[in-house]
Amino acid sequence: MTTEEKEVYAAYEAINNAIIKKDRVAMELYFNDNLTFTHMSGKKQTQKEFIGEIMDGTLNYFKVGTKDFSISVNGDTAHMKVTHTLTAKVYGISGSWTMSGENTYKKWDGIWIRIE
């Protein structure tokens, strides 16, 4: 991996740790204000709504196990494809779910921020 790819992966890991630890400051640092989230159910949330539900215990993430990923960096923009297993209790339902997704990161002030 290149240095930039390692930095993007480190941001991804920091986000996972912030979600598990319910670290609002870190989530707000790594999530762009305009970021939206789409859950498996299709429910969409703003960044503020997502963080709010983590903080109030509606969404509880316990473990993120990364199975496979690829990162491509072009200047200050990076795209990450990832498959991971989330162990969580969300909306009252506990379980482990394997999901694949794509995220976009932008480097701002030396930090890779998730923007999509």
Side-chain angles (χ1 to χ4, degrees), residues 1-12 15 30 32 35 69-82 101-108 110-116:
M1 268 197 293
T2 68
T3 299
E4 291 160 327
E5 290 168 344
K6 288 177 185 175
E7 290 173 355
V8 173
Y9 190 80
Y12 162 78
I15 289 167
Y30 285 103
N32 178 270
L35 184 62
F69 70 94
S70 64
I71 299 169
S72 62
V73 178
N74 184 6
D76 64 354
T77 302
H79 298 281
M80 181 176 188
K81 293 180 181 179
V82 64
E102 295 185 35
N103 301 310
T104 302
Y105 293 81
K106 186 98 170 152
K107 193 168 191 177
W108 285 331
I111 299 171
W112 289 95
I113 307 296
R114 186 168 158 202
I115 61 169
E116 292 179 357

Side-chain angles (χ1 to χ4, degrees), residues 56-102:
D56 74 13
T58 301
L59 302 174
N60 296 283
Y61 296 96
F62 306 118
K63 183 178 177 186
V64 180
T66 305
K67 296 188 169 287
D68 187 36
F69 70 94
S70 64
I71 299 169
S72 62
V73 178
N74 184 6
D76 64 354
T77 302
H79 298 281
M80 181 176 188
K81 293 180 181 179
V82 64
T83 300
H84 51 227
T85 300
L86 298 175
T87 303
K89 182 176 182 182
V90 295
Y91 304 113
I93 301 168
S94 295
S96 291
W97 298 273
T98 299
M99 300 184 300
S100 295
E102 295 185 35

Side-chain angles (χ1 to χ4, degrees), residues 7-54:
E7 290 173 355
V8 173
Y9 190 80
Y12 162 78
E13 285 287 304
I15 289 167
N16 292 340
N17 289 330
I19 289 169
I20 291 166
K21 293 179 179 177
K22 298 183 182 289
D23 182 344
R24 178 186 294 274
V25 172
M27 286 185 279
E28 289 175 347
L29 173 66
Y30 285 103
F31 291 152
N32 178 270
D33 289 344
N34 298 321
L35 184 62
T36 59
F37 296 84
T38 304
H39 295 273
M40 291 184 331
S41 65
K43 178 181 178 176
K44 294 184 186 275
Q45 290 184 301
T46 66
Q47 177 250 48
K48 289 185 186 305
E49 290 167 336
F50 180 70
I51 292 173
E53 286 194 349
I54 289 172

